[in-house]
Amino acid sequence: MAWRFALMIDPVAAQSPQADFTDTFTAVDPAAPALTVGELSTQRGDGIFESIGVVDGHAQEVTAHLDRLAHSAALCELPEPNLTQWRAAVLVAAAACGPGESVIKLILSRGVEHGPAPTAWVTAAEASDFSRARTEGVAVVTLDRGYPLDVPARAPWLLLGAKTLSYAVNMAALREARRRGADDAIFTTTDGFVLEAPTASLILRRGDTFVTPAPNAGILHGTTQLSLFEHLAARGFDVGYETVSASSLPQADAAWLVSSVRLAAPITAIDGASLAGDAALTASMNAYLLSPRD
Amino acid sequence: MAWRFALMIDPVAAQSPQADFTDTFTAVDPAAPALTVGELSTQRGDGIFESIGVVDGHAQEVTAHLDRLAHSAALCELPEPNLTQWRAAVLVAAAACGPGESVIKLILSRGVEHGPAPTAWVTAAEASDFSRARTEGVAVVTLDRGYPLDVPARAPWLLLGAKTLSYAVNMAALREARRRGADDAIFTTTDGFVLEAPTASLILRRGDTFVTPAPNAGILHGTTQLSLFEHLAARGFDVGYETVSASSLPQADAAWLVSSVRLAAPITAIDGASLAGDAALTASMNAYLLSPRD
């Protein structure tokens, strides 16, 4: 992966009305120091983020990502982000991306400890090559997320519907999956329901119906899943949200992990049990996801 | 709070045998940029930390903190920290602390994304004034941590025994406590047992016995609690570890939240129900905790 660009954003300057936000941006060298040791993002994972796919310089589904950033900010009681300013920053970062696939990250940190304001920045980097995951697929294992299904709604301080920077558990789950010989994980609840992958949404196919676990306080609503459901509905498929039991997973006709940068990765096996694939359908999904989307 | 010092540590250089580690340290201005935007600590809260109390330049219980740092590193599959190097860094940071109370933080991050090695640093800052919490005490509320008691042991990828940088939930719990008019929180399990506070251990007194919830995969073993138990045992009290039900909390004769920098804060109320205090005992605890300890 090669860095392409980084931009510090002044969220305070965005409070004053102005037509152009570019004077609130400062381009920085992504390989040079830009953050202080007092950053609460780094000390406590205290902040939120979004990862946006970029194809040939076009940032995908920017509005959906910005809306989720605002939703995460509200859950974490961060100051409301100025989405016009963030959109302007995404466009500047996208313009710095060359041809091919890139990833833009938006980060809104609570700021420096005892500091007056949040810290915010945008980065752009070359995307990893995910062509193998998109065509050959991924083997997954189910891992207990530790919660019963009803906890997130009644314990909002667990921040389970927010895309926070506190991703150590997500990263540990991916390491556990690899230790078990798999490529990725699907989180389940202690009472046997399916949630999501550590960095992706799950989509299941049953006949001509595509379902994903119902987004609730415990599941991030996936921007790529939303976009793909629109596409599948337009092609005449039924799509819907369900409470999915873990025991029903092997009955799926096919399944995918979908996310903003890796896009649609067909699941080849769940806990060692093979799952049928549909290479043509997967290819058409990824062709759609690689086309310019807004 | 005023920053006093920051030191970047080269964990790779520490792999080569050497008598003196000072050439692996680089002093940096804590108010100036020192970390890149690619830092996984900041992007994913992917790393571990320790906070060490410092009194008049003496860093307290350094060995216990270093041991816990190594324990957290193992749980998070980070490279084993060279504790001799870290101890040397703590001494350099402590020497930069003036009279009065300070806090030294040790941070070991997984490093820069796709980078070759972890990033590590130590900071020193003036401690906040906690005299009011130590004398007047703190009102607490119980908050559901979302897990049943037995989950952490069978789901180590939840990292509940590690002191990771992913503290967004801990910070959100403190905000929820304040929203409810309290000063702090005590986490409970979904099945009704007591865990710990977001940034402190809980100690309960029943007659002449002091107990703390049994440290297991779901509870950080508090360095201050350990030190205080040694002190209380030396004074002739019984001390012990128990599985504590939340329903038993109101029966405690007294209770404290103890941590490395705030030290012993007597609990004045739990979920609105007053708890008796023992000002003389609390004062003697804090006098001990403020004395030089190794």
Side-chain angles (χ1 to χ4, degrees):
Chain A
M1 192 194 73
W3 288 102
R4 289 183 155 144
F5 191 67
L7 198 68
M8 301 301 296
I9 297 175
D10 182 352
V12 175
Q15 308 306 311
S16 57
Q18 50 194 332
D20 182 5
F21 287 101
T22 53
D23 60 344
T24 67
F25 303 152
T26 308
V28 298
D29 177 353
L35 308 170
T36 71
V37 291
E39 251 302 318
L40 292 172
S41 55
T42 207
Q43 287 191 30
R44 297 182 190 147
D46 199 0
I48 56 176
F49 77 106
E50 286 292 324
S51 294
I52 301 178
V54 183
V55 182
D56 293 334
H58 183 272
Q60 304 280 48
E61 300 282 355
V62 175
T63 300
H65 284 286
L66 292 177
D67 288 348
R68 194 168 61 183
L69 186 78
H71 179 67
S72 294
L75 291 176
C76 293
E77 298 175 81
L78 286 160
E80 186 182 349
N82 182 323
L83 298 189
T84 308
Q85 182 193 33
W86 281 92
R87 184 183 296 276
V90 169
L91 290 180
V92 173
C97 295
E101 294 180 52
S102 305
V103 53
I104 289 178
K105 287 195 184 174
L106 320 184
I107 295 192
L108 175 58
S109 149
R110 202 171 297 276
V112 172
E113 194 166 14
H114 304 287
T119 318
W121 63 95
V122 168
T123 63
E126 195 179 311
S128 299
D129 179 2
F130 290 117
S131 51
R132 186 169 169 173
R134 290 174 194 162
T135 52
E136 297 181 27
V138 290
V140 305
V141 291
T142 54
L143 292 179
D144 193 342
R145 186 63 186 81
Y147 299 105
L149 189 64
D150 67 339
V151 152
R154 60 184 162 86
W157 49 88
L158 300 177
L159 303 179
L160 287 161
K163 200 167 171 75
T164 79
L165 299 173
S166 286
Y167 253 43
V169 168
N170 304 56
M171 298 298 109
L174 291 176
R175 290 195 298 275
E176 176 68 18
R178 282 169 202 137
R179 183 180 302 113
R180 297 185 186 191
D183 305 297
D184 213 319
I186 295 174
F187 281 133
T188 55
T189 67
T190 51
D191 43 358
F193 297 98
V194 174
L195 294 170
E196 60 193 342
T199 66
S201 309
L202 172 68
I203 293 178
L204 304 171
R205 177 177 187 171
R206 299 194 200 112
D208 282 343
T209 301
F210 292 78
V211 301
T212 193
N216 52 38
I219 298 182
L220 281 183
H221 203 161
T223 54
T224 309
Q225 170 262 309
L226 269 171
S227 178
L228 199 55
F229 269 24
E230 279 180 26
H231 171 71
L232 291 167
R235 288 174 63 176
F237 292 108
D238 289 325
V239 296
Y241 298 92
E242 272 185 23
T243 300
V244 177
S245 69
S247 60
S248 75
L249 282 176
Q251 277 84 57
D253 293 317
W256 296 263
L257 295 184
V258 303
S259 50
S260 298
V261 183
R262 192 173 63 181
L263 305 181
I267 296 177
T268 57
I270 300 178
D271 292 331
S274 293
L275 206 65
D278 182 335
L281 178 60
T282 298
S284 72
M285 284 178 174
N286 280 315
Y288 163 71
L289 292 171
L290 285 164
S291 68
R293 291 178 291 127
D294 287 308
Chain B
M1 193 194 74
W3 289 102
R4 287 182 155 144
F5 191 68
L7 199 67
M8 302 301 297
I9 298 176
D10 181 352
V12 175
Q15 307 307 312
S16 56
Q18 51 195 330
D20 182 4
F21 286 100
T22 54
D23 59 345
T24 67
F25 303 152
T26 307
V28 297
D29 178 353
L35 308 170
T36 72
V37 292
E39 252 301 318
L40 291 173
S41 56
T42 207
Q43 286 191 31
R44 296 182 192 148
D46 198 1
I48 56 175
F49 77 106
E50 285 293 324
S51 295
I52 302 178
V54 183
V55 182
D56 295 332
H58 183 273
Q60 305 278 49
E61 301 282 356
V62 175
T63 299
H65 284 286
L66 292 176
D67 288 348
R68 193 167 62 182
L69 187 78
H71 179 66
S72 294
L75 290 176
C76 293
E77 298 173 82
L78 287 160
E80 186 181 350
N82 182 323
L83 298 189
T84 308
Q85 181 193 33
W86 281 92
R87 185 184 296 276
V90 169
L91 291 180
V92 172
C97 294
E101 295 180 52
S102 305
V103 53
I104 289 178
K105 287 196 183 172
L106 320 184
I107 295 191
L108 175 58
S109 149
R110 201 170 300 275
V112 173
E113 194 167 15
H114 305 287
T119 317
W121 64 95
V122 169
T123 64
E126 197 178 309
S128 300
D129 178 2
F130 290 117
S131 52
R132 187 169 166 173
R134 290 174 194 163
T135 53
E136 297 181 26
V138 290
V140 305
V141 290
T142 54
L143 292 180
D144 191 342
R145 186 62 186 82
Y147 300 104
L149 189 64
D150 68 339
V151 152
R154 60 184 162 84
W157 50 87
L158 300 177
L159 303 178
L160 287 160
K163 199 167 172 75
T164 78
L165 300 174
S166 286
Y167 252 43
V169 168
N170 305 56
M171 298 298 110
L174 291 176
R175 289 195 299 275
E176 176 67 18
R178 283 171 202 136
R179 184 180 300 113
R180 297 186 186 191
D183 305 297
D184 212 320
I186 295 174
F187 281 134
T188 56
T189 67
T190 51
D191 43 357
F193 297 99
V194 175
L195 294 169
E196 62 194 340
T199 65
S201 309
L202 172 68
I203 293 179
L204 304 171
R205 178 177 187 171
R206 298 192 201 115
D208 283 343
T209 301
F210 292 78
V211 301
T212 194
N216 52 40
I219 297 182
L220 282 182
H221 203 161
T223 54
T224 308
Q225 170 262 308
L226 269 171
S227 177
L228 199 55
F229 268 24
E230 279 179 25
H231 170 71
L232 291 167
R235 288 174 62 177
F237 293 108
D238 289 325
V239 297
Y241 298 90
E242 273 186 21
T243 300
V244 177
S245 68
S247 60
S248 75
L249 282 176
Q251 277 84 59
D253 294 318
W256 296 263
L257 294 184
V258 303
S259 50
S260 297
V261 183
R262 192 173 62 180
L263 305 180
I267 295 177
T268 58
I270 301 178
D271 292 330
S274 293
L275 207 65
D278 182 335
L281 178 60
T282 298
S284 73
M285 284 179 173
N286 279 315
Y288 163 71
L289 292 171
L290 285 165
S291 69
R293 292 178 290 127
D294 286 309

